[in-house]
Amino acid sequence: MDLPDISVDTGGGRRPRRSSFVQPSVIPGFGLTFGFTLAWLCLIVLLPLSALFLRATGMSWHDFLEVGFSTRALRAYQLSFGASLAAGAVNTVSGLIIAWVLVRYSFPGKRLIGALVDLPFALPTAVAGIALTALYAQNGWIGGLIAPLGVKIAFTRAGVVIALIFIGLPFVVRSVEPVLADVGADVEEAAATLGATPLQTFRRVILPAIGPALLTGFALAFARGVGEYGSVIFIAGNMPYRSEIAPLLIVTQLEQFDYAGATAIASVMLVAAFVVLLFVNLLQRWTRKRGVA
Amino acid sequence: MAGTLAPSRTGRVVLMVLAFAFLALFIVAPLVAVFVEALSKGIATYGAALVEPDALSAIKLTLLVAAISVPLNVLFGLAASWAITKFDFPAKNLLITLIDLPFSVSPVVAGLIYVLLFGAQGWLGPWLEAHNVQIIFAVPGIVLATTFITFPFVARELIPLMEEQGRDDEEAAISLGASGWQAFRKVTLPNVRWALLYGVLLCNARAMGEFGAVSVVSGHIRGKTNTMPLHVEILYNEYNFAAAFAVASLLALLALATLALKSILEWRYGVHGKGHP
């Protein structure tokens, strides 16, 4: 199908395409759909995003560093990245267990539970935020239980982690599930027949197979967590230097008409997000290649 | 059977208990909390919170924004997947990555870029003001930010499926004399309808529930530029918890309906959606 020289009539006497950009095809509509795609992409995504970077480059290095890496901003990055790492780590373990149970065991209500895993994707973040706050506040169902132990979650940095665990959970489960189903129980049985203990089987057989998917899920959850706003601001204390996430700092700067500050912090976060995206892309390409081999 | 990773009943039971406990704590409890809190002051308060004028206007605006941005993204998704899967051209993977880009941008940053472009201090701000066009702190800004946030949803469901289905059907239709439009409508569209619906479903859920991006561009003008999630925030910050959770419960119902339809599409019609941002 991809022969370089197709000299057949292109059907119905249509004019053959002479563009060197696109390979010749009998299917029409490339110009229209490609043009629209590119125009819409530029208009909605690329131009507005480049406006941010142009605005950032309009600042001097000194100014950029001063506002983009001020102590308050650094603390906010620290919280956003740290809490996302912590939540990602929790989700890597619990997501793996949930995926395992969903793939390997059968039990009544399995489909319902499988569908519920996606709730964080479907539930608006603000709703998740106020619901989690109600649960973990001092007088909430869970907050009330742990308050006598002297543990406070809502309105502290721990609250941020809780919200990010909620938001990130499906990423890990959905990344690991298909790979786990592919590995199959027979591989484990083979390992066991050869004398491996369950732990050895997990470490030597299962983990190498699902490792990339697990890492992908973690990275996706992490990336989402770093930028997350709606579910976090209700449960975090939002105290500058203590429990203020980076996206909230951007909003605060904007409300004070500090456009330079907002731009600098947003650029830093955007670059960080692109790095994670690149990492995920490389990871997925690598996994795909390994899957073929 | 002996020797699988959880060989004993105990191992199996422990893993299942752990999984269920985690899901109960992080998924079910928040969901139940929304409805319990919403009904905490009785059904009358619940009803009143939903028919109050500001709530109604928030519901209307949310529906309006979704009614504009979802069709725009459907149009884009169809065009993009047609161009990407029916033709060969260089840098195709780059284009796909760029389409996915909005997923890795923080919602707050998504709002900010439009403020920097169209806001009073933005590049086009003075020109817009001179021509009496308001985008930021008005409905167009909310639509733009929502469109940005939901940009990849439809395209990313269609591209893998259309790639898999190949071009033979369309090529056959066209060699039999169908026009491009006819091939699209009679061949492609029926082939991808369930995946398209899946994309629309997720796109719509996100469009109606978006908070961060919309919050930055909306200006929070009560009764005018408040969507449902923003209305929830305002009520909550006013300590009007029952009303906040009442409006939130509508959004939670929307989420549950989305999950139910999504599951039906997966089970009945075999859509293997990517499903997530």
Side-chain angles (χ1 to χ4, degrees):
Chain A
M1 206 159 91
D2 283 323
L3 289 174
D5 198 286
I6 307 171
S7 48
V8 288
D9 178 42
T10 54
R14 234 171 285 273
R15 178 171 54 91
R17 213 165 253 292
R18 284 209 186 76
S19 149
S20 55
F21 178 68
V22 62
Q23 300 258 324
S25 164
V26 295
I27 302 173
F30 179 75
L32 179 71
T33 54
F34 184 77
F36 177 72
T37 302
L38 213 56
W40 192 238
L41 180 70
C42 285
L43 212 62
I44 298 291
V45 179
L46 299 182
L47 284 177
L49 276 179
S50 44
L52 176 82
F53 282 117
L54 275 176
R55 191 117 179 181
T57 49
M59 299 165 71
S60 74
W61 260 114
H62 180 260
D63 287 349
F64 185 86
L65 290 178
E66 193 145 292
V67 287
F69 293 92
S70 67
T71 316
R72 187 173 173 186
L74 284 175
R75 289 280 172 80
Y77 300 139
Q78 221 172 34
L79 176 61
S80 277
F81 287 91
S84 301
L85 272 178
V90 172
N91 277 335
T92 305
V93 177
S94 53
L96 175 58
I97 295 176
I98 291 166
W100 184 275
V101 167
L102 286 175
V103 171
R104 290 295 157 87
Y105 304 150
S106 53
F107 48 89
K110 181 171 162 170
R111 278 184 163 183
L112 179 73
I113 289 173
L116 268 182
V117 169
D118 275 342
L119 182 77
F121 288 152
L123 193 70
T125 53
V127 178
I130 63 170
L132 288 170
T133 312
L135 283 176
Y136 286 92
Q138 297 270 21
N139 55 356
W141 298 343
I142 299 171
L145 279 180
I146 53 174
L149 308 173
V151 185
K152 255 188 85 178
I153 290 185
F155 316 121
T156 69
R157 279 177 279 192
V160 180
V161 179
I162 294 286
L164 296 183
I165 291 176
F166 174 84
I167 289 297
L169 179 67
F171 288 99
V172 179
V173 179
R174 294 298 174 229
S175 297
V176 175
E177 251 185 331
V179 188
L180 206 52
D182 265 2
V183 176
D186 46 344
V187 182
E188 286 157 48
E189 279 161 31
T193 339
L194 295 171
T197 65
L199 199 67
Q200 280 176 325
T201 311
F202 181 75
R203 264 195 32 221
R204 301 275 180 81
V205 179
I206 312 280
L207 210 54
I210 62 168
L214 207 53
L215 203 56
T216 303
F218 169 81
L220 288 172
F222 174 78
R224 175 72 200 264
V226 169
E228 179 55 24
Y229 176 71
S231 60
V232 175
I233 55 158
F234 295 97
I235 198 169
N238 300 335
M239 296 283 289
Y241 300 98
R242 283 192 53 82
S243 51
E244 181 181 55
I245 53 166
L248 175 67
L249 186 54
I250 296 178
V251 172
T252 313
Q253 310 271 38
L254 261 184
E255 277 167 2
Q256 293 164 357
F257 301 104
D258 182 357
Y259 287 79
T263 304
I265 296 166
S267 316
V268 172
M269 290 191 58
L270 213 48
V271 169
F274 290 167
V275 170
V276 178
L277 178 73
L278 191 71
F279 173 74
V280 171
N281 269 356
L282 290 176
L283 201 64
Q284 279 168 343
R285 200 159 298 173
W286 183 66
T287 321
R288 221 170 293 146
K289 252 186 217 151
R290 242 181 37 148
V292 171
Chain B
M1 203 50 212
T4 45
L5 190 65
S8 58
R9 261 189 106 76
T10 341
R12 188 189 145 110
V13 168
V14 167
L15 286 180
M16 283 181 68
V17 166
L18 280 176
F20 292 158
F22 195 86
L23 287 173
L25 192 65
F26 279 95
I27 305 281
V28 180
L31 192 59
V32 174
V34 171
F35 293 100
V36 171
E37 295 283 336
L39 293 166
S40 61
K41 294 253 169 73
I43 193 95
T45 318
Y46 180 81
L50 298 184
V51 297
E52 170 240 343
D54 286 344
L56 283 180
S57 91
I59 294 171
K60 258 186 230 155
L61 181 59
T62 297
L63 293 176
L64 173 73
V65 170
I68 300 173
S69 58
V70 174
L72 283 176
N73 280 328
V74 168
L75 203 63
F76 169 77
L78 286 171
S81 50
W82 183 269
I84 286 171
T85 62
K86 302 296 170 201
F87 301 93
D88 292 309
F89 54 90
K92 201 188 261 190
N93 281 329
L94 177 69
L95 183 60
I96 296 176
T97 305
L98 287 177
I99 291 175
D100 266 349
L101 202 57
F103 277 155
S104 27
V105 175
S106 169
V108 168
V109 177
L112 171 71
I113 55 178
Y114 289 108
V115 173
L116 292 180
L117 211 53
F118 300 117
Q121 302 202 21
W123 276 342
L124 299 174
W127 186 87
L128 289 170
E129 204 166 348
H131 291 77
N132 235 337
V133 182
Q134 194 167 15
I135 292 184
I136 298 305
F137 303 149
V139 177
I142 298 175
V143 172
L144 274 174
T146 306
T147 307
F148 179 96
I149 289 290
T150 54
F151 195 80
F153 274 98
V154 179
R156 77 195 323 262
E157 298 299 340
L158 290 180
I159 292 171
L161 178 68
M162 283 169 67
E163 192 74 68
E164 195 186 304
Q165 289 178 343
R167 305 164 191 178
D168 298 355
D169 290 359
E170 285 81 4
E171 280 167 353
I174 284 161
S175 61
L176 292 172
S179 70
W181 171 246
Q182 280 172 327
F184 169 74
R185 242 188 33 149
K186 302 241 165 99
V187 177
T188 312
L189 215 48
N191 278 344
V192 301
R193 62 190 161 177
W194 299 122
L196 177 64
L197 190 59
Y198 192 93
V200 167
L201 204 61
L202 297 185
C203 183
N204 180 65
R206 185 68 197 263
M208 289 191 174
E210 178 50 29
F211 178 74
V214 169
S215 160
V216 170
V217 297
S218 132
H220 304 267
I221 306 163
R222 249 189 134 119
K224 284 189 90 167
T225 62
N226 264 345
T227 59
M228 284 165 77
L230 297 179
H231 189 58
V232 169
E233 184 200 19
I234 287 190
L235 292 171
Y236 190 85
N237 287 342
E238 287 171 348
Y239 302 102
N240 195 349
F241 295 133
F245 278 101
V247 180
S249 74
L250 286 187
L251 290 167
L253 285 175
L254 168 76
L256 289 176
T258 303
L259 285 185
L261 284 170
K262 174 175 165 294
S263 304
I264 290 173
L265 286 175
E266 283 164 3
W267 302 334
R268 285 271 164 80
Y269 302 102
V271 181
H272 304 294
K274 293 193 126 198
H276 63 70

